Structures are given as C-alpha cells and as structure tokens.
C-alpha cells in the first residue's frame, strides 16, 4: 500500500475516533459538571475537524506542481500545522481562564460516577491510538502523522490526569479534607493548560519558521553537505555551497558547484543525475537544483534567496 493511502486511512480512522470522543467528552462534561472533561472533549472535537483537514493536505502534497503553485504544495503542511496549534492554544487558554475564575470563587463539585468511566475509557483508547500513530509516523516519515501522534499523546496524558484526579476526589471525600474536592477539577484544568501551552507555543514557532523558509536541523544540513562533498571529491571539483530550507516533509536544496575548468555538458548532466538520485535516496521529498559554474563571481551579484548555508 502506498504512503498516501496509508496516511489517508489512518487519518480517517483517527477522525472517527476523535469525533466520537469529542462528542462523548462534551456530553459527559455537561452531566458531570467537569471543566477537565470539557477541555478533553473540546480538544478531541477540534482535533477531529483538523484531522479532516489533514487528509486534504496529504492529497495536496502528492499533487504535481501546477501554474498556481509551480514549486509544489509543500508549504501547506507547516501552514496547516501552525493554524491548528494556534486554534488549540486559543481554546485551552480560554478554558484556563474560566478554571482560574472557578478557583477564585470556591470551585465546583463533579459527578464521579459519570466522570470516572468516561475518563478511564478515554485513557485506554487514546493510548492505543497514540501507539499506532507513533509507529506509523516513524515508518512513513510523515510530519502530519507525527503531529497527530503528539496530539494523541497529549490526549492520553489529559485522560490519565483526569482518572488520577477523580480517584483523588473519591479518596478525599472519605477524609476530613472533603471540602477540597470542589477545587480539584478546576485546579486540574488549570494544570492542563499550564502543561499544554508551552508545547503548542513551541509548535507554532517551529512550523512558522518552516513557513518563513528556515533551514532544516543541523543533522539534515550535515547529511546534505556530506552527500555533495562526496561528488566534489570524486569528480575533482574545486568547491561547493549548499543551501537548504524545509517545509514540512519537503526539503528544498540549491547546490552551487565550482568546476575550475570547463567540462562537457553531457558529463555534467550525468553527474547531476547521480547527485539527484543520492539526494532523493536520502529524502524522498527532496527537490534539488544543482548549478555548475566555472566563474563563480556571478554568485555574489545574484539575487537568489539564500536561506542558510548547510
């Protein structure tokens, strides 16, 4: 089965599961009067809507270049992931403010018989989906599935914390500290917000940097340099310069090679083909421009956008 079909199937599966948990969480939060369940439910519901969008992004990524997007659709992936992180961050901050207000006004009681089974069921299913997506994200090298895996990991932690908090409420209700039970759910919700916010902010910064054309990680840059240097040495070129930017799973590379002396065009085309195959072997989504030159003085006057030297 192709990578595209596997990603779409996984996204369809997680959409249904996430939508079901979103509706269940919202209903349970209403019956149990629990903001932590409300946060979990809204998180799942919004996730399900964005997973539907993820499927559309996958279709675009496998679409060929056209007149509207002559350099491909790679930017849609970091754009989509940035948008999702912004929406989720806005949602949890809003719920966090409400939880802080509830704490300031004495908290509220929750219905344990409703909240506990829902949270426990959510914990088991979220953990299984997280493990599945984590494995497939590595196998398919998919940033979208990696992001979905991270989202389900957070959902698993939310459910785990809910179960622990509800058990804590049950314990305190049988002790002399029962008056504290009304503060546990809003306090837990506030802790969720504090825990989730830095991760979402980090994602926003990371994917925004990719949208702006930032260079890939140092590890990727060194790997690209190593591939190019192998050809420079074997064909006795003078030097090379490698410039790269990363957009989601797509890697755009511009390579300048200083020849030192003229060589037949057919020979250079053959070398270019070998280099391109080596780069695509390293990264399937690599789009490389390889430029040979004898006189490199024009490079200083070039208006080409150089992202960052690899």
């Amino acid at each position: 089965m192709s990578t595209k079909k596997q990603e779409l199937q996984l996204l369809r599966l997680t959409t249904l599961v996430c939508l079901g948990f979103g509706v269940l969480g919202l209903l349970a939060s209403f019956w149990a009067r629990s903001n932590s369940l409300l946060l979990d439910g809204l998180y799942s519901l919004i996730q399900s809507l964005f997973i539907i969008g993820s499927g559309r992004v996958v279709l675009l990524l496998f679409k060929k270049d056209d007149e509207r997007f002559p350099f491909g659709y790679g930017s849609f992936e970091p754009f989509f992931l940035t948008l999702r992180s912004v929406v989720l961050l806005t949602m949890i901050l809003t719920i966090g403010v409400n939880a802080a207000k509830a704490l300031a006004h004495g908290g509220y009681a929750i219905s344990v018989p409703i909240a506990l089974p829902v949270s426990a069921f959510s914990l088991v299913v979220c953990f299984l989906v997280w493990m599945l997506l984590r494995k497939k994200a590595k196998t398919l090298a998919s940033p979208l599935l990696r992001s979905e895996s991270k989202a389900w990991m957070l959902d698993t932690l939310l459910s785990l914390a809910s179960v622990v908090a509800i058990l804590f409420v049950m314990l305190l209700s049988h002790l002399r500290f029962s008056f504290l039970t009304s503060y546990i759910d809003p306090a837990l919700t506030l802790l969720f917000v504090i825990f989730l916010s830095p991760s979402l902010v980090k994602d926003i910064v990371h994917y925004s940097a990719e949208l702006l054309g930032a260079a890939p990680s140092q590890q990727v840059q060194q790997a690209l340099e190593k591939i190019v240097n192998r050809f420079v040495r074997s064909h006795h070129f003078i030097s090379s310069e490698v410039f790269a930017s990363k957009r989601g799973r797509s890697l755009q590379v511009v390579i300048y090679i200083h020849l030192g002396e003229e060589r037949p065009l057919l020979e250079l085309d053959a070398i270019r083909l070998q280099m391109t195959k080596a780069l695509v072997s390293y990264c399937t989504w690599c789009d490389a421009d390889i430029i040979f030159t004898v006189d490199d003085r024009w490079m200083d006057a070039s208006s080409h956008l150089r992202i960052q030297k690899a």
Side-chain angles (χ1 to χ4, degrees):
M1 187 183 297
S2 67
T3 298
K4 175 183 174 181
K5 289 183 178 179
Q6 289 187 66
E7 286 191 76
L8 289 175
Q9 283 189 356
L10 285 168
L11 290 172
R12 291 189 185 108
L13 171 64
T14 53
T15 298
L16 294 175
V17 176
C18 210
L19 182 61
F21 272 113
V23 174
L24 178 63
L26 291 179
L27 293 176
S29 68
F30 175 75
W31 290 324
R33 299 181 299 277
S34 169
N35 272 341
S36 62
L37 283 177
L38 175 63
L39 175 59
D40 201 2
L42 281 176
Y43 188 90
S44 296
L45 191 61
I46 293 176
Q47 278 290 98
S48 67
L49 298 178
F50 275 103
I51 294 173
I52 295 173
S54 297
R56 177 59 180 166
V57 171
V58 169
L59 292 175
L60 287 174
L61 292 175
F62 284 89
K63 190 176 180 181
K64 292 184 178 180
D65 305 344
D66 54 29
E67 293 182 356
R68 291 182 60 202
F69 296 93
F71 297 103
Y73 291 82
S75 293
F76 278 80
E77 192 166 24
F79 170 75
F80 176 80
L81 295 174
T82 301
L83 179 62
R84 183 175 68 174
S85 297
V86 170
V87 172
L88 288 173
L89 181 62
T90 302
M91 180 204 74
I92 67 171
L93 289 178
T94 301
I95 294 177
V97 170
N98 290 332
K101 290 180 180 178
L103 276 176
H105 292 85
Y108 50 81
I110 64 172
S111 175
V112 172
I114 295 175
L116 183 57
V118 171
S119 296
F121 180 63
S122 175
L123 173 61
V124 173
V125 177
C126 288
F127 178 76
L128 294 176
V129 175
W130 169 35
M131 290 292 101
L132 173 64
L133 289 176
R134 183 186 178 194
K135 180 180 179 181
K136 287 296 183 179
K138 290 182 178 179
T139 304
L140 302 177
S142 169
L144 276 175
L145 291 184
R146 193 179 305 117
S147 179
E148 295 300 334
S149 171
K150 185 177 181 180
W152 281 92
M153 177 195 72
L154 295 176
D155 224 343
T156 301
L157 294 175
L158 285 173
S159 299
L160 176 61
S162 292
V163 171
V164 172
I166 294 169
L167 292 175
F168 198 48
V169 168
M170 294 173 62
L171 177 63
L172 287 180
S173 63
H174 293 88
L175 301 174
R176 59 178 180 175
F177 302 105
S178 58
F179 67 94
L180 293 175
T181 57
S182 61
Y183 292 97
I184 290 179
D185 193 76
L188 176 64
T189 303
L190 205 55
L191 286 175
F192 283 166
V193 173
I194 295 172
F195 172 75
L196 292 175
S197 296
S199 176
L200 291 172
V201 170
K202 183 179 178 181
D203 284 344
I204 292 171
V205 172
H206 174 75
Y207 294 122
S208 296
E210 290 191 353
L211 274 176
L212 295 173
S217 67
Q218 191 66 31
Q219 180 183 2
V220 172
Q221 295 182 61
Q222 289 174 353
L224 294 173
E225 192 74 30
K226 184 177 180 180
I227 293 171
V228 174
N229 284 339
R230 187 171 72 241
F231 285 90
V232 171
R233 290 191 300 268
S234 62
H235 294 282
H236 307 292
F237 299 138
I238 292 179
S239 63
S240 66
E241 289 187 85
V242 182
F243 303 89
S245 65
K246 186 175 180 296
R247 301 180 304 170
R249 72 190 71 188
S250 302
L251 193 61
Q252 292 184 314
V253 185
V254 177
I255 303 169
Y256 295 99
I257 297 180
H258 189 194
L259 301 178
E261 61 181 9
E262 291 190 16
R263 297 198 186 187
L265 182 58
L266 288 177
E267 178 188 348
L268 295 178
D269 281 342
I271 296 172
R272 182 184 286 110
L273 177 60
Q274 294 173 9
M275 293 181 67
T276 301
K277 287 182 177 179
L279 291 167
V280 172
S281 177
Y282 169 70
C283 175
T284 307
W285 295 84
C286 181
D287 184 11
D289 290 326
I290 304 170
I291 302 168
F292 297 100
T293 183
V294 175
D295 184 358
D296 62 353
R297 290 178 297 176
W298 64 271
M299 292 171 57
D300 293 332
S302 174
S303 59
H304 188 282
L305 177 61
R306 298 184 177 184
I307 308 300
Q308 181 174 336
K309 185 174 181 180

